[in-house]
Amino acid sequence: MATWLILEDDRFNFDYCHFLPWHSSQCRSLHGHSSVVTVMLRGEPDAQGFVIDFAEAKQLVKDTQELFDHKVIAPRATVLGPPDAQGLLTIAFETPAGPHRLLLPATEVAIIDSDATVENLSALLAAAIYRRMPANVQWVLVRMFEGIGKSALSMVGVAGDALTCLMPGTDIAGHPLSTEQLIVQMER
């Protein structure tokens, strides 16, 4: 029988910078977030009754978060060529406020194929964590918070199925949703 493991850890947080040039608010300019992540795994227990050892799973999650931690996350379309001779990348984008040009060390930039929305980032984390899990892990669900009460939920699993949805951080009455409530919603 498949089992859900819920991984919540004080270490599952990271800071990043991004920009959404098409957005009508201040989010269009370079700005940062501190994000907290909850990871849920669904899988078949092995002969010892483990889906995966908690310590191993937590380390995999923490290692995966390092892809984004303390980085500027930039869509590939905004990166102007490879790093220069000093290892610097040029990132360029336009907003109603005018042109933006960033010159940054390549080691400080995470380049992704899409816009750096919380929806896309949670999906990228879910896929990267799933690829690192043992074969008996059927689903990886990542809930990534971008501030208080704003989160995205992405699930990746067997047969390449994927689900990404915007999930409010609270119920109708304004109470935070528990991980158990999330699982019930996902099992429907």
Side-chain angles (χ1 to χ4, degrees):
M1 180 163 126
T3 302
W4 282 97
L5 296 181
I6 301 168
L7 305 173
E8 296 176 299
D9 191 308
D10 291 343
R11 299 177 305 143
F12 292 174
N13 62 74
F14 62 99
D15 301 304
Y16 67 96
C17 236
H18 73 150
F19 50 90
L20 303 171
W22 47 266
H23 204 278
S24 61
S25 77
Q26 67 272 23
C27 294
R28 67 182 177 229
S29 296
L30 186 65
H31 66 284
H33 294 282
S34 290
S35 285
V36 175
V37 173
T38 299
V39 177
M40 292 169 263
L41 309 173
R42 185 174 191 269
E44 293 293 333
D46 61 18
Q48 290 76 37
F50 278 7
V51 173
I52 185 174
D53 181 87
F54 276 114
E56 180 184 353
K58 285 182 174 186
Q59 190 59 53
L60 288 170
V61 170
K62 189 62 183 159
D63 291 347
T64 304
Q65 285 180 302
E66 295 299 320
L67 298 169
F68 298 143
D69 191 25
H70 285 85
K71 304 280 186 192
V72 173
I73 303 173
R76 188 172 308 283
T78 65
V79 178
L80 303 180
D84 67 13
Q86 289 99 20
L88 299 174
L89 280 176
T90 300
I91 298 169
F93 58 96
E94 300 279 335
T95 73
H100 290 61
R101 299 291 179 269
L102 306 172
L103 190 61
L104 300 166
T107 57
E108 303 297 318
V109 179
I111 301 170
I112 63 174
D113 290 329
S114 56
D115 285 320
T117 63
V118 68
E119 295 89 341
N120 290 336
L121 296 177
S122 68
L124 289 168
L125 283 173
I129 292 167
Y130 181 73
R131 283 191 300 272
R132 295 175 177 205
M133 287 291 152
N136 63 314
V137 174
Q138 302 162 338
W139 296 96
V140 171
L141 187 144
V142 170
R143 184 180 191 187
M144 181 178 161
F145 285 87
E146 181 185 83
I148 299 171
K150 302 178 293 181
S151 66
L153 183 68
S154 294
M155 188 164 67
V156 177
V158 292
D161 295 338
L163 170 68
T164 303
C165 59
L166 187 62
M167 180 65 75
T170 58
D171 62 17
I172 297 171
H175 301 105
L177 291 174
S178 69
T179 52
E180 291 79 11
Q181 289 170 310
L182 293 173
I183 290 171
V184 167
Q185 289 180 12
M186 298 311 295
E187 292 283 333
R188 290 183 186 159

